[in-house]
């Protein structure tokens, strides 16, 4: 998929023309990554590192502030968030549904189904519904934190660093 944007510094003769600024691999045509690509990747890494901590902090506040509870909540929250969150992230990215509402829904669905996965083979009671709702809330919260940190993924012409690398095309 090639991005086509208006020139950042258009001359009068360039009015209305667009430039191909990136190739499929996210680099400019001369091979150099754009500043936008670096910021996007860094924000994604930060989102992966920070967002699961939100669920751990909420669990710590609910069960009593203690370093032991925070550590246990992190041990549970991070692997689950990374595993299920990566699946949700890849699905949403492939479907081009990278909006806050879709992340919140995906987080709630994956979080809400998690207690049922852990209770396979056990008798299910009404408690599983409340646990499922709590996990759905936490999953949605983690997903919303992720997308808020990651930010919008639309390329804006002001984010283009090396727009002179590509020739103009009609």
């Amino acid at each position: 998929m090639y991005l086509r944007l208006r020139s950042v510094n258009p001359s009068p003769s360039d009015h209305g023309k667009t430039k191909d600024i990136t190739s499929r691999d996210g680099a400019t045509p001369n091979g150099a990554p754009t500043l936008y690509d670096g910021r996007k990747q860094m924000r994604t890494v930060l989102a992966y590192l920070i967002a699961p901590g939100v669920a751990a902090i909420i669990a710590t506040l609910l069960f009593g502030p203690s370093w032991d509870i925070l550590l246990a909540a992190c041990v549970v929250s991070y692997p689950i968030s990374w595993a299920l969150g990566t699946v949700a992230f890849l699905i949403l990215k492939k479907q081009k549904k990278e909006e806050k509402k879709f992340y919140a829904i995906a987080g709630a669905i994956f979080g809400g189904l998690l207690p049922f996965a852990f209770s396979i083979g056990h008798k299910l009671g009404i408690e599983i519904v409340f646990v499922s709702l709590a996990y759905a809330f936490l999953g949605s919260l983690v997903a919303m934190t992720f997308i808020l940190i990651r930010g919008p993924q639309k390329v804006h012409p002001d984010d283009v660093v090396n727009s002179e690398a590509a020739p103009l095309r009609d």
Side-chain angles (χ1 to χ4, degrees):
M1 169 169 82
Y2 293 91
L3 299 173
R4 295 183 57 81
L5 298 174
R6 295 199 183 282
S7 176
V8 175
N9 298 316
S11 66
S13 64
D14 293 342
H15 183 69
K17 295 181 180 177
T18 58
K19 292 183 178 184
D20 287 332
I21 59 151
T22 60
S23 64
R24 278 185 178 261
D25 60 357
T28 57
N30 64 0
T34 63
L35 177 63
Y36 178 79
D37 292 331
R39 281 187 284 169
K40 180 173 67 170
Q41 291 170 350
M42 182 56 72
R43 289 176 69 108
T44 301
V45 169
L46 284 175
Y48 265 101
L49 294 175
I50 295 170
V54 171
I57 291 170
I58 297 288
T60 303
L61 293 175
L62 289 176
F63 295 112
S66 161
W67 288 109
D68 295 335
I69 292 175
L70 180 63
L71 179 62
C74 285
V75 166
V76 172
S77 176
Y78 275 89
I80 290 172
S81 295
W82 286 342
L84 297 178
T86 300
V87 170
F89 171 71
L90 293 175
I91 290 171
L92 291 173
K93 189 172 182 176
K94 184 167 178 76
Q95 297 293 321
K96 297 183 182 356
K97 304 279 187 192
E98 293 190 270
E99 298 174 30
K100 292 175 187 141
K101 64 182 174 186
F102 293 117
Y103 274 89
I105 292 168
I109 289 171
F110 279 113
L113 292 177
L114 191 63
F116 290 105
F118 284 127
S119 63
I120 292 176
H122 299 291
K123 183 179 176 185
L124 299 178
I126 192 69
E127 303 87 19
I128 194 74
V129 173
F130 293 113
V131 172
S132 182
L133 288 174
Y135 272 79
F137 172 74
L138 288 175
S140 183
L141 196 63
V142 169
M144 287 299 296
T145 304
F146 179 86
I147 193 63
L148 288 173
I149 293 170
R150 188 164 183 256
Q153 298 304 303
K154 296 180 179 120
V155 177
H156 189 274
D158 293 340
D159 293 330
V160 177
V161 173
N162 193 357
S163 65
E164 304 305 322
L168 287 174
R169 296 187 183 154
D170 290 331

